[in-house]
Amino acid sequence: MSDPSLTPIHSETPERPLSEPVLSVRDLIVEIPTRYAVLRPVDQVSYDIAPGEILGVVGESGAGKSMTGNAVIGLLDRPAHIADGEIWLKGRRIDNLRRDQMRAIRGKEIGMIFQDPLTSLNPLLRIGDQLSETILEHLPVSRAEARVRALQALDEVGIPAAAERLNSYPHEFSGGMRQRVVIALALCAEPSLVIADEPTTALDVSVQAQIIALLKRLCREKGTSVILVTHDMGVIAEAADRVAVMYAGRLAELGPVAQVLKTPRHPYTDGLVGSMPMASAGKERLRQIPGSMPRLGSLPDGCAFHPRCPRAETRCRQNPGPTLGADHGRAACWFPVGEVS
Amino acid sequence: MLAYIIRRVFQSLLVLLIVGLVAFSMFRFVGDPVDNMLGQERTQADIDRLRGDLGLDQPFPVQYWKFLGGAIQGNFGVSYRQGRPVADIIVERAPATLELAAVSGLFAILGGIGLGVFTAIRRNGLAANAIMTLSLIGVSLPTFLIGILLIYVFSVELDLLPSFGRGEVVNLGWWSTGFLTQSGLLALILPSITLGLYQMTLIMRLVRSEMLEVLRQDYIRFARARGLRERAVNFRHAIKNTLVPVITVTGLQLGSIIAFAIITETVFQWPGVGLLFINAVQFVDIPVMAAYLMLISVMFVAINLIVDLLYFAIDPRLRVDGRAT
Ligand SMILES: Nc1ncnc2c1ncn2[C@@H]1O[C@H](COP(=O)(O)OP(=O)(O)O)[C@@H](O)[C@H]1O
Ligand code: SF4
Ligand SMILES: [Mg+2]
C-alpha cells in the first residue's frame, strides 16, 4: 500500500462541470473569534456550480451549511467573517468586494431564500411593493414596468389571481403561499444563482414537495443555478444534480447525487444514506449514526468524524482527513467505504 | 371596525365619567373655599348665604350632576377667586399651554424618533454612545432643575433667550398665538425643551431598543439579501415596524406633556392653564381645579383613542377585511 497521506484518495474522477462555473468556492474558511478560541464553522470548503445546476448541501444541524451560504452572499453576521479562501462568481472574485458592490450583487446575481416564510416577509408592506422595490433596485425599468414584472413573478410561482394579490399583505397568505412569494422575490431580478437555505423545513409536509418542485422547475426554465441547503437526504435525492455533504464545517463528500446515494464513499455519507427511509426499505439497513456531531469548540484531533466512525483507525485520530478540493476525490476520508485499503 | 370605534368611544366616556367623579369628589376634601373667599370678619349668615349661592349646600350627587351637565355645555361654573366663568378663564389660558405642548410634543417626537433611529443604526459609533449616555441625564434630572439650568445658561449667562413669559402674542380671534412674533418664538424655546426633554429621552430609548429588535428580524435579513440599500432597509422596512409599538407609549407621553406643563409653566411663569391650576390649588378654587382635571382627562382619553386608530392605519394585520386566506 502506498502512503495515502501523500496522495489523497482519487477513487474516481469527479465529474467536472463542462462549462465555466457560475460559482467557484475555493478553500473557504469562515472564522468566529470568541473569548476562548477562534471557531471555524466553515473549514476549507471548495466547490463549483455549473450554470443551471442544483447543488444540494446536506449535513446535520450546525455543520456549517448556512454559514457557507451566508459567506457566499456576503451576509455573515459579525463577528463571523471570511478568514481565507476565495469566492468567484462568473469569473469575478466577490469575497473581497466593498459593501456597496456586494449589495448590488445580492438579489441581482445571487438570490436567497430563507427557511421561514412566515418571518421572511415584511408584515407591513404589500407584497407587490416588496416585489417592485426589489425589481426597481436591480433592473433599469420604470415603476409601471416593475409592477408588470412583479405580477409576472407572482404568476410564475403559481399564486392564483396574482393581479389582486399584489395588493395583499403577507399575513393574508398561507405558509406555503408565502414561501412561493419569497421564491418570487428571490428570483424577480433574475439572478444566476439562488441559495435556498432549508426552504421547506418550516413548511407543512404536504406542501414541501410542491415548493421543491416549483423551485426546481423555475430554475430549470431560467437556467438559474441553485445551492439547495437541507438536512433531508430525501430532498437531495428528489431535486439535486450533485450533493455536497458537510460535517463539522468541512466537506465530507461531493459528487453526483446518483453515485453518492448508490455508493457513498465517506462513512458519514454512508450513515446518512443508510438512515434514509427509502433506501432502507428493501435493504434492511435503517440505522442511525451513533453519537452526535462535536461542538465547534471541542473538535477532536484528527478526522472530526472519528469518534463516530466505524472505520476509524490510528491514522484518523492523528491526521485530519484529507481536504476535499474541487478537483480532488469524492470523499475526504482516509479509508473510504467500498475501497480496499 | 366601526363597531370597535363605537365601543372605544363608549369606554372613553365611561372613563371620563369616573375621572370626573373622582376629581370632583376629591376636591370636596381639599379645603373649604368659603374660608378663603370671606375675610376674617365673617358671620355664620354670610357663610350660609355664600354656600347657598355656590350650591355647596346641596347633596353631593346633585352637585356632581350639575357639574357634569354644565361641563358638557362648556360651563364649568364660576371661579371662586376671579368671580368669572371658569370656561372663559380656561379659553383665555388654553392657547398658551396648547402651543407650548405642541412645540414640546413635536420636539419630543421628532427628536426622539430621529435620535432613536440614529443610535440604533450607529449602535457602535461614538456619537451614538455619547447620546445614550447623555440621555440618562435627561431621564434622571427633574423637570424644574432642567428648566432652571437652561435659564441659568441661556438667559442669565449667555443672555440669548427670555427666561419667563410668552413674549409678544398676536390675537387671532379668541386665540392668542406666540408663533407670529420673533419674541414669541424665542420665548417658546426654553420651556419647550424643558417640557419635552424627558419625553424625548423616553421616546428615543424606546425607539432605539425597538429598532434594534426589528433589525434582527428575518425580513430585514431578507431585505438585505434582496440587495436593497441600507437606506431602504432602515427607513422603509425597519422604521415602520419600529413605530407600531412606539405609538402607544408616545401617545401617552404626549398626554403627560400637558399634565407636566404645570411644573414648566411655574418655572417659566408661562401664562397657561398649568399656572392657572397651581394658583387655583393655592386658593382651593374648586371649579377651576375640576375643570382642569376634566380637560386633562379628556385629552388623555382622546389621545388614547387616536393611538388606537393609528394602529389600524399602520398595521394591516389589524384591519380585518375578509381577504385573508
Ligand atoms: N455567533 C456565533 N458564535 C459561535 N458559534 C456560532 C455562531 N454562529 C453560529 N455558530 C456556529 O456555527 C456553526 C455553523 O452553523 P450553521 O452554518 O448555521 O449550521 P447549519 O446551517 O449547517 O445548521 C454551528 O455549530 C453554530 O453553533
Ligand atoms: S478519515 Fe477515518 S475517521 Fe474519518 S471518516 Fe474516514 S475512516 Fe472515518
Ligand atoms: Mg442552517
Side-chain angles (χ1 to χ4, degrees), chain A residues 266-268 303-307 309-313 316 321-322 332-336:
Chain A
H266 196 285
Y268 177 62
C303 171
F305 188 57
H306 87 247
C309 183
R311 302 169 72 85
E313 293 186 18
C316 307
C333 173
W334 296 124
F335 309 108

Side-chain angles (χ1 to χ4, degrees), chain A residues 63-123:
Chain A
K65 309 181 295 292
S66 298
M67 281 280 173
T68 311
N70 292 343
V72 168
I73 200 170
L75 278 181
L76 286 174
D77 292 315
R78 274 185 304 176
H81 63 277
I82 297 177
D84 202 1
E86 296 172 6
I87 302 170
W88 295 76
L89 179 77
K90 297 198 287 191
R92 176 185 180 198
R93 189 163 169 194
I94 61 166
D95 57 284
N96 52 6
L97 292 182
R98 289 203 319 268
R99 272 160 62 118
D100 55 322
Q101 291 173 317
M102 195 59 212
R103 181 201 55 74
I105 286 178
R106 284 199 288 270
K108 173 87 176 79
E109 298 289 345
I110 309 178
M112 183 123 190
I113 298 167
F114 291 108
Q115 179 171 337
D116 191 350
L118 298 187
T119 55
S120 290
L121 298 167
N122 190 327

Side-chain angles (χ1 to χ4, degrees), chain A residues 103 119 133-134 137-138 172, chain B residues 218 226 229 236-237 325:
Chain A
R103 181 201 55 74
T119 55
E133 68 176 354
T134 316
E137 182 61 54
H138 296 301
E172 298 172 71
Chain B
D218 283 355
R226 285 186 280 142
R229 285 157 206 273
R236 192 173 330 136
H237 285 262
T325 9

